[in-house]
Amino acid sequence: MAASKQAAIKFIFITLLIDVMGWGLIIPVMPDLIAQLKHIPVNEASPYGAWLLSAYAITQFVFAPVIGNLSDKYGRRPVLLFSLLGFGIDYLFLALAPAYSWLFIGRVIAGITGASFTTASAYIADISTPETRAKNFGMVGAAFGLGFIIGPALGGLLGGWGIRAPFYAAAILCLLNCLYGYFILPESLSGEHRREFHWKRANPFGSLQLLKRYPAVGGLAVSFFLIYMAAQAVQGNWSFFTIYRFQWNERMVGISLAVVGLLVGVVQAGLTRVINPKLGNEKSVYAGLSLYTIGLLLFAFATQSWMMFAFLVPYCLGGIAGPALQSILAGHVPPNEQGELQGALTSLMSLTTIIGPPLMNNLFYHFTKKSAPVHFPGVSFLLGAFFMLLSVAIAWNVLRHEKKIPDV
């Protein structure tokens, strides 16, 4: 049984790694592909790239709770394999696309089936004990960090063989992993823990009803939402800020993102496993969110290039908060609602991806244009720090008042 769980955990890690790598693989060549298909310069292709991101985020917001609820009825295994198959088809669409509309369709397919993080998180919750939950959830961040290091570097290398080569590579990775999972991945959700599928609970807003059924979960979900909103100051605005403020070129931006991936991987794969058992989930949440806040404040007022690299250390150390918060949330719902919980959390994350970049990037533009009331390029990071502080306050207030529900 232990060996089976270990093999499953390794598969889940590989699945998440390939998910992020696939996304990273296409980052270096996507602008040129859009420009080629639309017969426009790369700078004019940028808005079309934004529409692709938005299409993916919106469809994932709508369909993540559906997929999460389906995994509560039919089990995690078939849903995970379906997600991998969907991603493989998406990348083939992108690789073969004769027109921009194909890219759009491909991203919609990926958004519909892209529940690997949702279902993988539910799978982790199924096979984890209260003591190992945070450690196992840390794999999600570790896979993201490692995938974000390998993906863009490999994508740039493969791009030299042709603009569509990285898309074929991403498709092959997803389809091979789907085949591997078909033979190796056991089901984690036993029959007695399954429940019927209900559309009311599976619509993107209906899935959030779970957050209302458990008051502590609802309060902590607000904290979770604010963390990801704050993170959009970095994810959506990093390259614009560093190019404008420090005149970085694309190579320097790429190096900085690789450093982010490396630090995130070290924190999630290593430090989380050491720090969380010593501090406990609650203190890990407070410490991590405080470090996130400090990092964002330092970014906002950085005056030299090297500072951005130095300030990545406290910011990325804040990553100890995520797995601890997910562990607390998972400990408040029964096994047959873990898929619904992870679907609701993925919906919240998708909402931040829909709302966050326009908010942060427009704020950045407003305070850097000639008519700006105050010239302050770091304003988005300052707003992010405020969101993080608010998240700390909400988490502290909820955890201070709640009576912990026993793990089930």
Side-chain angles (χ1 to χ4, degrees):
M1 185 66 179
S4 176
K5 279 190 176 182
Q6 209 55 37
I9 287 172
K10 286 178 182 175
F11 174 81
I12 293 298
F13 177 80
I14 292 168
T15 296
L16 297 176
L17 177 64
I18 287 175
D19 193 339
V20 178
M21 271 185 63
W23 174 54
L25 272 168
I26 66 175
I27 289 174
V29 295
M30 183 62 92
D32 285 332
L33 180 60
I34 295 170
Q36 185 185 92
L37 293 175
K38 297 297 293 183
H39 307 291
I40 54 175
V42 170
N43 63 315
E44 288 182 31
S46 178
Y48 293 98
W51 279 115
L52 294 179
L53 291 173
S54 182
Y56 177 79
I58 291 169
T59 24
Q60 188 175 62
F61 171 70
V62 172
F63 284 94
V66 175
I67 299 296
N69 275 267
L70 285 173
S71 80
D72 283 339
K73 176 176 172 60
Y74 297 106
R76 318 301 184 203
R77 184 178 184 274
V79 173
L80 266 174
L81 297 180
F82 174 70
S83 295
L84 286 168
L85 181 63
F87 267 117
I89 292 170
D90 163 46
Y91 290 129
L92 283 176
F93 251 82
L94 302 183
L96 298 168
Y100 173 78
S101 58
W102 278 50
L103 302 185
F104 200 87
I105 293 168
R107 289 284 79 190
V108 168
I109 292 171
I112 293 170
T113 63
S116 54
F117 271 80
T118 302
T119 314
S121 296
Y123 196 106
I124 290 169
D126 291 340
I127 64 174
S128 299
T129 64
E131 293 75 28
T132 61
R133 264 200 205 113
K135 176 181 75 173
N136 290 339
F137 274 126
M139 287 195 317
V140 177
F144 183 89
L146 190 58
F148 203 66
I149 295 169
I150 299 171
L154 189 57
L157 182 66
L158 290 172
W161 295 357
I163 198 169
R164 296 171 188 262
F167 298 96
Y168 285 113
I172 291 168
L173 280 173
C174 284
L175 295 174
L176 283 177
N177 197 37
C178 181
L179 190 64
Y180 172 64
Y182 180 81
F183 292 105
I184 201 74
L185 185 69
E187 180 53 64
S188 65
L189 189 66
S190 57
E192 66 268 22
H193 286 140
R194 299 188 187 185
R195 62 174 178 79
E196 287 304 307
F197 178 88
H198 299 288
W199 279 108
K200 184 178 179 182
R201 294 170 70 167
N203 74 69
F205 296 103
S207 73
L208 301 180
Q209 295 299 313
L210 175 137
L211 308 180
K212 292 170 68 176
R213 290 202 299 275
Y214 302 97
V217 171
L220 292 173
V222 175
S223 178
F224 183 88
F225 175 82
L226 288 169
I227 292 169
Y228 280 88
M229 275 296 291
Q232 293 300 330
V234 175
Q235 294 172 15
N237 194 49
W238 179 267
S239 58
F240 294 98
F241 173 81
T242 51
I243 291 169
Y244 176 85
R245 185 76 176 82
F246 305 114
Q247 291 76 54
W248 284 8
N249 56 25
E250 291 78 6
R251 178 175 171 273
M252 184 64 82
V253 172
I255 290 170
S256 69
L257 292 175
V259 171
V260 171
L262 180 63
L263 288 173
V264 168
V266 168
V267 170
Q268 301 290 359
L271 288 181
T272 297
R273 294 167 180 259
V274 176
I275 293 173
N276 186 271
K278 291 185 177 179
L279 292 181
N281 284 332
E282 189 173 338
K283 287 182 180 176
S284 294
V285 169
Y286 301 149
L289 295 182
S290 298
L291 285 164
Y292 270 142
T293 304
I294 291 167
L296 286 165
L297 281 172
L298 291 172
F299 289 151
F301 296 100
T303 56
Q304 309 220 7
S305 281
W306 65 265
M307 292 180 177
M308 298 302 287
F309 285 92
F311 298 160
L312 279 172
V313 175
Y315 179 78
C316 291
L317 282 172
I320 64 172
L325 185 56
Q326 263 194 300
S327 179
I328 292 171
L329 283 161
H332 282 76
V333 300
N336 66 351
E337 292 186 343
Q338 289 294 336
E340 186 177 2
L341 170 65
Q342 300 305 330
L345 295 180
T346 302
S347 289
L348 289 177
M349 290 167 60
S350 296
L351 271 178
T352 67
T353 307
I354 295 166
I355 300 167
L359 172 64
M360 297 299 182
N361 289 20
N362 276 294
L363 195 63
F364 167 73
Y365 169 70
H366 182 73
F367 281 89
T368 53
K369 64 183 181 181
K370 289 182 179 179
S371 59
V374 178
H375 185 261
F376 184 26
V379 65
S380 296
F381 297 122
L382 194 61
L383 180 61
F386 171 74
F387 285 155
M388 284 293 184
L389 268 180
L390 199 55
S391 180
V392 177
I394 291 171
W396 177 79
N397 186 58
V398 171
L399 295 173
R400 182 169 63 99
H401 287 103
E402 73 153 343
K403 292 180 180 176
K404 188 177 178 183
I405 297 172
D407 291 301
V408 285

